[in-house]
Amino acid sequence: MATGKDYYDILGIKKDAKADEVKKAFRKLARKHHPDAGGSEEKFKELNEAYEVLSDSEKRAQYDQYGQYFGGNPPPGPSGAGWPGAAGGGYTNVDLGDLFGDMFSGGMGGGRPSRSSARRGRDLSYDLTLDFQEALDGVSTKVDVQRAEKCSTCKGTGAKPGTSRTTCPTCNGAGHVNQGGGMFAISRECPRCGGEGTVVEQPCSVCRGKGRVVRIKPVTVNVPAGVTDGGKLRFKGKGEPGEKGGPAGDLYVVTHIRAHPFFTRDGADVLMDLPISVSEAALGTEVTIPTPDGHKVKLKIKPGTQDGSTQKLTGKGAPRLKGKERGDLKVRTRVVVPTKLTAEERELLKRFESSHAEDLRAHIV
């Protein structure tokens, strides 16, 4: 062990720190500087060295007494008697398994994998196309979802019926292998059995040893009223089944809405183009129009209405996903100019033009 190092300073603690404070400080720094987390191996080694001494009450007492001479050359004196690094003294590697097993079990790579760990199923996605009215009203429908499920032939073992899985020869059933040595040995998932501890010698002919097969299963989903094009709905637990008792994943349904002959959506608002004639725009009128909720209402067109002008019917749009209110129906007038005229109609329009055309362009000439 190197000499001249201040172990308290390395761990960032005071000399009167209690055992649990030493452990807490080491865990925090080891997580940060562990090589698997992109840290420095030299720094990690230094942290281990400091923790090895300060976590042991006897070694810590010796270190507090001998300071920089601890573990190095004996202090000045006839023989260095009582020096903790003298022949017959020294110390052994501290067992950090409990620290690493807890610290890195979340996926940093240093923890020992558990062969019995439950695994959550994968989340799945499905694209669902709806009619315009279905999106407005909501609908309960079945969707065919492709997902991996337990093989019924081998009951999920992956082994041929009548046979069983055997102990993995690489890890001897441990599910993990060690890399490195001494206090720097790091436990890794066994590359052959994937942490299972067992392997399949005679695979099931149906799932080919995987224990799971891909099936298409109908799933009922309740689509709420007011969904939008490109919206995403989450159905908890309707994704892929978990493994070893783990929870199922979620199913995400992306909604797509077919075009409507005259309605379009803008969130909860519904837009509609209303064609009117030139005379209706000029003189005004009252027309009956449909609404998204299946009813009909009368709409007044004021005299002199211009092409592109919009009227809003409050609360006549689509339902909002949150709350009981509905959006608005926005009606935009489109003045349709006739393309075929009778001789009489032409004469009438000419007379109309002679009295209004100059006034229309007076501001630009």
Side-chain angles (χ1 to χ4, degrees), residues 18-60:
K18 299 186 182 299
D20 59 338
E21 294 178 293
V22 174
K23 185 175 182 179
K24 183 177 180 180
F26 171 72
R27 285 165 59 93
K28 180 179 179 181
L29 293 171
R31 184 188 296 273
K32 178 180 179 182
H33 296 287
H34 194 281
D36 282 354
S40 164
E41 186 173 338
E42 186 63 31
K43 178 65 176 178
F44 186 68
K45 181 178 179 181
E46 186 179 61
L47 291 169
N48 274 282
E49 183 179 314
Y51 179 74
E52 180 182 344
V53 173
L54 299 185
S55 63
D56 185 291
S57 58
E58 184 178 344
K59 295 175 188 176
R60 181 174 179 177

mmCIF file of all heavy atoms in Angstrom, residues 18-60:
data_model
loop_
_atom_site.group_PDB
_atom_site.id
_atom_site.type_symbol
_atom_site.label_atom_id
_atom_site.label_comp_id
_atom_site.label_asym_id
_atom_site.label_seq_id
_atom_site.Cartn_x
_atom_site.Cartn_y
_atom_site.Cartn_z
ATOM 1 N N LYS A 18 -17.936 8.604 11.798
ATOM 2 C CA LYS A 18 -18.363 7.290 12.254
ATOM 3 C C LYS A 18 -18.343 6.294 11.094
ATOM 4 O O LYS A 18 -18.232 6.675 9.918
ATOM 5 C CB LYS A 18 -19.765 7.386 12.856
ATOM 6 C CG LYS A 18 -19.833 8.304 14.066
ATOM 7 C CD LYS A 18 -21.196 8.255 14.707
ATOM 8 C CE LYS A 18 -21.276 9.218 15.897
ATOM 9 N NZ LYS A 18 -20.282 8.865 16.940
ATOM 10 N N ALA A 19 -18.464 5.015 11.438
ATOM 11 C CA ALA A 19 -18.351 3.947 10.441
ATOM 12 C C ALA A 19 -19.357 4.098 9.306
ATOM 13 O O ALA A 19 -19.034 3.897 8.136
ATOM 14 C CB ALA A 19 -18.520 2.584 11.119
ATOM 15 N N ASP A 20 -20.596 4.479 9.638
ATOM 16 C CA ASP A 20 -21.595 4.612 8.579
ATOM 17 C C ASP A 20 -21.305 5.806 7.676
ATOM 18 O O ASP A 20 -21.632 5.802 6.490
ATOM 19 C CB ASP A 20 -22.998 4.722 9.177
ATOM 20 C CG ASP A 20 -23.152 5.911 10.112
ATOM 21 O OD1 ASP A 20 -22.134 6.401 10.623
ATOM 22 O OD2 ASP A 20 -24.302 6.348 10.325
ATOM 23 N N GLU A 21 -20.651 6.848 8.226
ATOM 24 C CA GLU A 21 -20.267 8.000 7.407
ATOM 25 C C GLU A 21 -19.149 7.625 6.450
ATOM 26 O O GLU A 21 -19.095 8.095 5.306
ATOM 27 C CB GLU A 21 -19.819 9.152 8.311
ATOM 28 C CG GLU A 21 -20.939 9.728 9.169
ATOM 29 C CD GLU A 21 -20.438 10.837 10.086
ATOM 30 O OE1 GLU A 21 -19.650 10.542 11.008
ATOM 31 O OE2 GLU A 21 -20.843 11.990 9.867
ATOM 32 N N VAL A 22 -18.235 6.753 6.920
ATOM 33 C CA VAL A 22 -17.146 6.273 6.060
ATOM 34 C C VAL A 22 -17.724 5.488 4.882
ATOM 35 O O VAL A 22 -17.356 5.692 3.725
ATOM 36 C CB VAL A 22 -16.172 5.387 6.871
ATOM 37 C CG1 VAL A 22 -15.123 4.776 5.948
ATOM 38 C CG2 VAL A 22 -15.502 6.196 7.971
ATOM 39 N N LYS A 23 -18.640 4.608 5.211
ATOM 40 C CA LYS A 23 -19.249 3.774 4.176
ATOM 41 C C LYS A 23 -20.038 4.609 3.184
ATOM 42 O O LYS A 23 -19.965 4.415 1.963
ATOM 43 C CB LYS A 23 -20.165 2.735 4.832
ATOM 44 C CG LYS A 23 -20.766 1.741 3.858
ATOM 45 C CD LYS A 23 -21.552 0.693 4.614
ATOM 46 C CE LYS A 23 -22.133 -0.352 3.653
ATOM 47 N NZ LYS A 23 -22.883 -1.400 4.383
ATOM 48 N N LYS A 24 -20.788 5.576 3.678
ATOM 49 C CA LYS A 24 -21.607 6.427 2.816
ATOM 50 C C LYS A 24 -20.731 7.253 1.874
ATOM 51 O O LYS A 24 -21.040 7.387 0.682
ATOM 52 C CB LYS A 24 -22.456 7.350 3.679
ATOM 53 C CG LYS A 24 -23.398 8.242 2.893
ATOM 54 C CD LYS A 24 -24.259 9.093 3.821
ATOM 55 C CE LYS A 24 -25.197 9.992 3.030
ATOM 56 N NZ LYS A 24 -26.038 10.837 3.938
ATOM 57 N N ALA A 25 -19.624 7.794 2.414
ATOM 58 C CA ALA A 25 -18.723 8.606 1.594
ATOM 59 C C ALA A 25 -18.084 7.758 0.501
ATOM 60 O O ALA A 25 -17.966 8.179 -0.658
ATOM 61 C CB ALA A 25 -17.656 9.248 2.469
ATOM 62 N N PHE A 26 -17.683 6.534 0.884
ATOM 63 C CA PHE A 26 -17.056 5.655 -0.101
ATOM 64 C C PHE A 26 -18.036 5.274 -1.209
ATOM 65 O O PHE A 26 -17.706 5.288 -2.393
ATOM 66 C CB PHE A 26 -16.525 4.394 0.581
ATOM 67 C CG PHE A 26 -16.063 3.348 -0.395
ATOM 68 C CD1 PHE A 26 -14.897 3.514 -1.126
ATOM 69 C CD2 PHE A 26 -16.826 2.200 -0.619
ATOM 70 C CE1 PHE A 26 -14.485 2.560 -2.046
ATOM 71 C CE2 PHE A 26 -16.421 1.251 -1.528
ATOM 72 C CZ PHE A 26 -15.243 1.427 -2.250
ATOM 73 N N ARG A 27 -19.251 4.912 -0.829
ATOM 74 C CA ARG A 27 -20.258 4.527 -1.820
ATOM 75 C C ARG A 27 -20.498 5.638 -2.838
ATOM 76 O O ARG A 27 -20.600 5.406 -4.033
ATOM 77 C CB ARG A 27 -21.580 4.187 -1.117
ATOM 78 C CG ARG A 27 -21.575 2.851 -0.405
ATOM 79 C CD ARG A 27 -22.741 2.735 0.561
ATOM 80 N NE ARG A 27 -24.011 2.883 -0.123
ATOM 81 C CZ ARG A 27 -24.726 1.866 -0.599
ATOM 82 N NH1 ARG A 27 -24.288 0.628 -0.464
ATOM 83 N NH2 ARG A 27 -25.884 2.064 -1.191
ATOM 84 N N LYS A 28 -20.592 6.857 -2.347
ATOM 85 C CA LYS A 28 -20.859 7.994 -3.229
ATOM 86 C C LYS A 28 -19.734 8.206 -4.225
ATOM 87 O O LYS A 28 -19.952 8.387 -5.430
ATOM 88 C CB LYS A 28 -21.072 9.246 -2.385
ATOM 89 C CG LYS A 28 -21.362 10.497 -3.196
ATOM 90 C CD LYS A 28 -21.583 11.697 -2.286
ATOM 91 C CE LYS A 28 -21.857 12.964 -3.104
ATOM 92 N NZ LYS A 28 -22.060 14.143 -2.223
ATOM 93 N N LEU A 29 -18.486 8.170 -3.730
ATOM 94 C CA LEU A 29 -17.340 8.414 -4.601
ATOM 95 C C LEU A 29 -17.058 7.222 -5.512
ATOM 96 O O LEU A 29 -16.649 7.399 -6.666
ATOM 97 C CB LEU A 29 -16.107 8.730 -3.749
ATOM 98 C CG LEU A 29 -16.187 10.052 -2.968
ATOM 99 C CD1 LEU A 29 -15.024 10.178 -1.992
ATOM 100 C CD2 LEU A 29 -16.182 11.237 -3.937
ATOM 101 N N ALA A 30 -17.268 6.002 -4.991
ATOM 102 C CA ALA A 30 -17.023 4.815 -5.810
ATOM 103 C C ALA A 30 -17.990 4.756 -6.978
ATOM 104 O O ALA A 30 -17.641 4.350 -8.085
ATOM 105 C CB ALA A 30 -17.151 3.562 -4.946
ATOM 106 N N ARG A 31 -19.232 5.166 -6.742
ATOM 107 C CA ARG A 31 -20.213 5.204 -7.834
ATOM 108 C C ARG A 31 -19.767 6.172 -8.937
ATOM 109 O O ARG A 31 -19.920 5.912 -10.122
ATOM 110 C CB ARG A 31 -21.579 5.632 -7.295
ATOM 111 C CG ARG A 31 -22.690 5.606 -8.333
ATOM 112 C CD ARG A 31 -23.957 6.216 -7.773
ATOM 113 N NE ARG A 31 -24.497 5.452 -6.671
ATOM 114 C CZ ARG A 31 -25.330 4.417 -6.823
ATOM 115 N NH1 ARG A 31 -25.694 4.050 -8.027
ATOM 116 N NH2 ARG A 31 -25.791 3.784 -5.774
ATOM 117 N N LYS A 32 -19.202 7.286 -8.512
ATOM 118 C CA LYS A 32 -18.775 8.318 -9.464
ATOM 119 C C LYS A 32 -17.528 7.920 -10.231
ATOM 120 O O LYS A 32 -17.420 8.180 -11.441
ATOM 121 C CB LYS A 32 -18.527 9.625 -8.705
ATOM 122 C CG LYS A 32 -18.028 10.765 -9.568
ATOM 123 C CD LYS A 32 -17.815 12.016 -8.731
ATOM 124 C CE LYS A 32 -17.284 13.168 -9.582
ATOM 125 N NZ LYS A 32 -17.017 14.383 -8.769
ATOM 126 N N HIS A 33 -16.586 7.263 -9.549
ATOM 127 C CA HIS A 33 -15.277 6.997 -10.159
ATOM 128 C C HIS A 33 -15.088 5.548 -10.604
ATOM 129 O O HIS A 33 -13.988 5.180 -11.020
ATOM 130 C CB HIS A 33 -14.166 7.373 -9.165
ATOM 131 C CG HIS A 33 -14.124 8.829 -8.837
ATOM 132 N ND1 HIS A 33 -13.663 9.787 -9.719
ATOM 133 C CD2 HIS A 33 -14.517 9.509 -7.722
ATOM 134 C CE1 HIS A 33 -13.749 10.987 -9.162
ATOM 135 N NE2 HIS A 33 -14.276 10.851 -7.957
ATOM 136 N N HIS A 34 -16.147 4.734 -10.515
ATOM 137 C CA HIS A 34 -15.997 3.349 -10.949
ATOM 138 C C HIS A 34 -15.666 3.305 -12.441
ATOM 139 O O HIS A 34 -16.252 4.025 -13.248
ATOM 140 C CB HIS A 34 -17.302 2.584 -10.675
ATOM 141 C CG HIS A 34 -17.143 1.096 -10.785
ATOM 142 N ND1 HIS A 34 -17.114 0.455 -11.988
ATOM 143 C CD2 HIS A 34 -16.983 0.138 -9.825
ATOM 144 C CE1 HIS A 34 -16.961 -0.846 -11.793
ATOM 145 N NE2 HIS A 34 -16.884 -1.062 -10.481
ATOM 146 N N PRO A 35 -14.705 2.465 -12.848
ATOM 147 C CA PRO A 35 -14.317 2.382 -14.271
ATOM 148 C C PRO A 35 -15.484 2.105 -15.205
ATOM 149 O O PRO A 35 -15.532 2.608 -16.321
ATOM 150 C CB PRO A 35 -13.302 1.220 -14.274
ATOM 151 C CG PRO A 35 -12.705 1.248 -12.903
ATOM 152 C CD PRO A 35 -13.847 1.616 -11.993
ATOM 153 N N ASP A 36 -16.466 1.312 -14.742
ATOM 154 C CA ASP A 36 -17.619 1.010 -15.597
ATOM 155 C C ASP A 36 -18.488 2.233 -15.837
ATOM 156 O O ASP A 36 -19.303 2.267 -16.754
ATOM 157 C CB ASP A 36 -18.477 -0.085 -14.957
ATOM 158 C CG ASP A 36 -17.856 -1.460 -15.166
ATOM 159 O OD1 ASP A 36 -16.851 -1.533 -15.899
ATOM 160 O OD2 ASP A 36 -18.364 -2.439 -14.601
ATOM 161 N N ALA A 37 -18.314 3.248 -14.979
ATOM 162 C CA ALA A 37 -19.089 4.484 -15.134
ATOM 163 C C ALA A 37 -18.265 5.559 -15.820
ATOM 164 O O ALA A 37 -18.640 6.727 -15.834
ATOM 165 C CB ALA A 37 -19.568 4.978 -13.769
ATOM 166 N N GLY A 38 -17.115 5.157 -16.384
ATOM 167 C CA GLY A 38 -16.252 6.110 -17.088
ATOM 168 C C GLY A 38 -15.266 6.816 -16.176
ATOM 169 O O GLY A 38 -14.642 7.799 -16.568
ATOM 170 N N GLY A 39 -15.127 6.307 -14.944
ATOM 171 C CA GLY A 39 -14.202 6.929 -14.004
ATOM 172 C C GLY A 39 -12.771 6.468 -14.179
ATOM 173 O O GLY A 39 -12.458 5.606 -14.998
ATOM 174 N N SER A 40 -11.895 7.029 -13.362
ATOM 175 C CA SER A 40 -10.477 6.698 -13.423
ATOM 176 C C SER A 40 -10.197 5.458 -12.581
ATOM 177 O O SER A 40 -10.578 5.379 -11.411
ATOM 178 C CB SER A 40 -9.646 7.884 -12.905
ATOM 179 O OG SER A 40 -8.322 7.491 -12.610
ATOM 180 N N GLU A 41 -9.500 4.496 -13.169
ATOM 181 C CA GLU A 41 -9.150 3.284 -12.433
ATOM 182 C C GLU A 41 -8.197 3.604 -11.288
ATOM 183 O O GLU A 41 -8.286 3.008 -10.208
ATOM 184 C CB GLU A 41 -8.529 2.264 -13.381
ATOM 185 C CG GLU A 41 -8.257 0.924 -12.722
ATOM 186 C CD GLU A 41 -7.797 -0.131 -13.710
ATOM 187 O OE1 GLU A 41 -8.079 0.030 -14.917
ATOM 188 O OE2 GLU A 41 -7.159 -1.097 -13.269
ATOM 189 N N GLU A 42 -7.301 4.547 -11.505
ATOM 190 C CA GLU A 42 -6.343 4.931 -10.469
ATOM 191 C C GLU A 42 -7.061 5.568 -9.277
ATOM 192 O O GLU A 42 -6.757 5.264 -8.116
ATOM 193 C CB GLU A 42 -5.321 5.914 -11.057
ATOM 194 C CG GLU A 42 -4.184 6.272 -10.110
ATOM 195 C CD GLU A 42 -3.333 5.060 -9.734
ATOM 196 O OE1 GLU A 42 -3.199 4.131 -10.559
ATOM 197 O OE2 GLU A 42 -2.828 5.046 -8.595
ATOM 198 N N LYS A 43 -8.026 6.445 -9.583
ATOM 199 C CA LYS A 43 -8.786 7.087 -8.505
ATOM 200 C C LYS A 43 -9.625 6.065 -7.765
ATOM 201 O O LYS A 43 -9.727 6.091 -6.524
ATOM 202 C CB LYS A 43 -9.690 8.174 -9.109
ATOM 203 C CG LYS A 43 -10.574 8.896 -8.088
ATOM 204 C CD LYS A 43 -9.745 9.686 -7.096
ATOM 205 C CE LYS A 43 -10.636 10.476 -6.153
ATOM 206 N NZ LYS A 43 -9.867 11.225 -5.143
ATOM 207 N N PHE A 44 -10.222 5.143 -8.505
ATOM 208 C CA PHE A 44 -11.036 4.114 -7.886
ATOM 209 C C PHE A 44 -10.186 3.235 -6.971
ATOM 210 O O PHE A 44 -10.605 2.843 -5.877
ATOM 211 C CB PHE A 44 -11.699 3.268 -8.973
ATOM 212 C CG PHE A 44 -12.684 2.270 -8.451
ATOM 213 C CD1 PHE A 44 -13.874 2.685 -7.890
ATOM 214 C CD2 PHE A 44 -12.418 0.904 -8.514
ATOM 215 C CE1 PHE A 44 -14.799 1.769 -7.400
ATOM 216 C CE2 PHE A 44 -13.335 -0.016 -8.027
ATOM 217 C CZ PHE A 44 -14.523 0.413 -7.473
ATOM 218 N N LYS A 45 -8.966 2.943 -7.403
ATOM 219 C CA LYS A 45 -8.048 2.145 -6.603
ATOM 220 C C LYS A 45 -7.688 2.881 -5.316
ATOM 221 O O LYS A 45 -7.617 2.285 -4.236
ATOM 222 C CB LYS A 45 -6.778 1.852 -7.412
ATOM 223 C CG LYS A 45 -5.755 0.995 -6.681
ATOM 224 C CD LYS A 45 -4.564 0.724 -7.588
ATOM 225 C CE LYS A 45 -3.521 -0.117 -6.852
ATOM 226 N NZ LYS A 45 -2.334 -0.367 -7.713
ATOM 227 N N GLU A 46 -7.494 4.184 -5.423
ATOM 228 C CA GLU A 46 -7.157 5.001 -4.264
ATOM 229 C C GLU A 46 -8.313 5.018 -3.259
ATOM 230 O O GLU A 46 -8.102 4.948 -2.038
ATOM 231 C CB GLU A 46 -6.824 6.417 -4.730
ATOM 232 C CG GLU A 46 -6.318 7.344 -3.633
ATOM 233 C CD GLU A 46 -5.986 8.713 -4.172
ATOM 234 O OE1 GLU A 46 -6.902 9.370 -4.701
ATOM 235 O OE2 GLU A 46 -4.815 9.136 -4.060
ATOM 236 N N LEU A 47 -9.534 5.110 -3.769
ATOM 237 C CA LEU A 47 -10.703 5.095 -2.894
ATOM 238 C C LEU A 47 -10.827 3.764 -2.155
ATOM 239 O O LEU A 47 -11.126 3.719 -0.960
ATOM 240 C CB LEU A 47 -11.972 5.343 -3.716
ATOM 241 C CG LEU A 47 -12.155 6.743 -4.300
ATOM 242 C CD1 LEU A 47 -13.305 6.748 -5.299
ATOM 243 C CD2 LEU A 47 -12.410 7.754 -3.198
ATOM 244 N N ASN A 48 -10.593 2.670 -2.866
ATOM 245 C CA ASN A 48 -10.638 1.364 -2.247
ATOM 246 C C ASN A 48 -9.595 1.228 -1.140
ATOM 247 O O ASN A 48 -9.855 0.663 -0.079
ATOM 248 C CB ASN A 48 -10.408 0.281 -3.302
ATOM 249 C CG ASN A 48 -11.679 -0.124 -4.017
ATOM 250 O OD1 ASN A 48 -12.482 -0.874 -3.491
ATOM 251 N ND2 ASN A 48 -11.856 0.394 -5.210
ATOM 252 N N GLU A 49 -8.427 1.776 -1.435
ATOM 253 C CA GLU A 49 -7.331 1.723 -0.461
ATOM 254 C C GLU A 49 -7.710 2.456 0.821
ATOM 255 O O GLU A 49 -7.506 1.950 1.935
ATOM 256 C CB GLU A 49 -6.078 2.352 -1.090
ATOM 257 C CG GLU A 49 -4.839 2.309 -0.215
ATOM 258 C CD GLU A 49 -3.653 2.924 -0.929
ATOM 259 O OE1 GLU A 49 -3.426 2.601 -2.108
ATOM 260 O OE2 GLU A 49 -2.945 3.737 -0.293
ATOM 261 N N ALA A 50 -8.296 3.634 0.656
ATOM 262 C CA ALA A 50 -8.688 4.421 1.829
ATOM 263 C C ALA A 50 -9.811 3.735 2.594
ATOM 264 O O ALA A 50 -9.796 3.661 3.831
ATOM 265 C CB ALA A 50 -9.127 5.814 1.385
ATOM 266 N N TYR A 51 -10.787 3.201 1.868
ATOM 267 C CA TYR A 51 -11.909 2.544 2.529
ATOM 268 C C TYR A 51 -11.476 1.270 3.239
ATOM 269 O O TYR A 51 -11.954 0.944 4.332
ATOM 270 C CB TYR A 51 -12.995 2.221 1.507
ATOM 271 C CG TYR A 51 -14.178 1.519 2.123
ATOM 272 C CD1 TYR A 51 -15.078 2.219 2.920
ATOM 273 C CD2 TYR A 51 -14.380 0.148 1.940
ATOM 274 C CE1 TYR A 51 -16.156 1.584 3.520
ATOM 275 C CE2 TYR A 51 -15.449 -0.498 2.530
ATOM 276 C CZ TYR A 51 -16.341 0.228 3.317
ATOM 277 O OH TYR A 51 -17.396 -0.413 3.914
ATOM 278 N N GLU A 52 -10.522 0.537 2.634
ATOM 279 C CA GLU A 52 -10.032 -0.711 3.228
ATOM 280 C C GLU A 52 -9.467 -0.463 4.621
ATOM 281 O O GLU A 52 -9.635 -1.281 5.528
ATOM 282 C CB GLU A 52 -8.965 -1.323 2.321
ATOM 283 C CG GLU A 52 -8.398 -2.627 2.848
ATOM 284 C CD GLU A 52 -7.307 -3.173 1.951
ATOM 285 O OE1 GLU A 52 -7.193 -2.721 0.798
ATOM 286 O OE2 GLU A 52 -6.571 -4.041 2.416
ATOM 287 N N VAL A 53 -8.812 0.670 4.785
ATOM 288 C CA VAL A 53 -8.198 0.994 6.073
ATOM 289 C C VAL A 53 -9.222 1.586 7.044
ATOM 290 O O VAL A 53 -9.374 1.127 8.179
ATOM 291 C CB VAL A 53 -7.020 1.964 5.881
ATOM 292 C CG1 VAL A 53 -6.486 2.438 7.235
ATOM 293 C CG2 VAL A 53 -5.920 1.298 5.076
ATOM 294 N N LEU A 54 -9.946 2.599 6.599
ATOM 295 C CA LEU A 54 -10.827 3.334 7.520
ATOM 296 C C LEU A 54 -12.092 2.571 7.883
ATOM 297 O O LEU A 54 -12.766 2.932 8.850
ATOM 298 C CB LEU A 54 -11.192 4.693 6.910
ATOM 299 C CG LEU A 54 -10.016 5.630 6.624
ATOM 300 C CD1 LEU A 54 -10.516 6.986 6.146
ATOM 301 C CD2 LEU A 54 -9.139 5.809 7.853
ATOM 302 N N SER A 55 -12.441 1.536 7.125
ATOM 303 C CA SER A 55 -13.630 0.753 7.464
ATOM 304 C C SER A 55 -13.322 -0.341 8.476
ATOM 305 O O SER A 55 -14.236 -0.971 9.008
ATOM 306 C CB SER A 55 -14.227 0.119 6.196
ATOM 307 O OG SER A 55 -13.305 -0.787 5.622
ATOM 308 N N ASP A 56 -12.047 -0.588 8.721
ATOM 309 C CA ASP A 56 -11.623 -1.591 9.697
ATOM 310 C C ASP A 56 -11.135 -0.878 10.944
ATOM 311 O O ASP A 56 -10.169 -0.103 10.892
ATOM 312 C CB ASP A 56 -10.517 -2.456 9.096
ATOM 313 C CG ASP A 56 -10.114 -3.602 10.001
ATOM 314 O OD1 ASP A 56 -9.520 -3.336 11.068
ATOM 315 O OD2 ASP A 56 -10.379 -4.758 9.631
ATOM 316 N N SER A 57 -11.790 -1.109 12.075
ATOM 317 C CA SER A 57 -11.474 -0.366 13.305
ATOM 318 C C SER A 57 -10.021 -0.538 13.734
ATOM 319 O O SER A 57 -9.371 0.421 14.189
ATOM 320 C CB SER A 57 -12.412 -0.800 14.431
ATOM 321 O OG SER A 57 -12.306 -2.194 14.664
ATOM 322 N N GLU A 58 -9.476 -1.768 13.577
ATOM 323 C CA GLU A 58 -8.088 -2.013 14.002
ATOM 324 C C GLU A 58 -7.099 -1.297 13.095
ATOM 325 O O GLU A 58 -6.171 -0.637 13.561
ATOM 326 C CB GLU A 58 -7.817 -3.520 13.999
ATOM 327 C CG GLU A 58 -6.424 -3.875 14.522
ATOM 328 C CD GLU A 58 -6.197 -5.374 14.555
ATOM 329 O OE1 GLU A 58 -7.194 -6.135 14.476
ATOM 330 O OE2 GLU A 58 -5.037 -5.787 14.675
ATOM 331 N N LYS A 59 -7.321 -1.409 11.780
ATOM 332 C CA LYS A 59 -6.420 -0.743 10.836
ATOM 333 C C LYS A 59 -6.518 0.769 10.961
ATOM 334 O O LYS A 59 -5.527 1.496 10.843
ATOM 335 C CB LYS A 59 -6.753 -1.163 9.407
ATOM 336 C CG LYS A 59 -6.505 -2.628 9.112
ATOM 337 C CD LYS A 59 -6.983 -2.970 7.718
ATOM 338 C CE LYS A 59 -6.925 -4.461 7.467
ATOM 339 N NZ LYS A 59 -7.475 -4.821 6.148
ATOM 340 N N ARG A 60 -7.746 1.235 11.196
ATOM 341 C CA ARG A 60 -7.935 2.682 11.327
ATOM 342 C C ARG A 60 -7.187 3.212 12.549
ATOM 343 O O ARG A 60 -6.578 4.294 12.505
ATOM 344 C CB ARG A 60 -9.426 2.999 11.442
ATOM 345 C CG ARG A 60 -9.729 4.485 11.549
ATOM 346 C CD ARG A 60 -11.228 4.728 11.510
ATOM 347 N NE ARG A 60 -11.557 6.135 11.644
ATOM 348 C CZ ARG A 60 -12.794 6.642 11.591
ATOM 349 N NH1 ARG A 60 -13.810 5.819 11.403
ATOM 350 N NH2 ARG A 60 -13.002 7.929 11.719
#
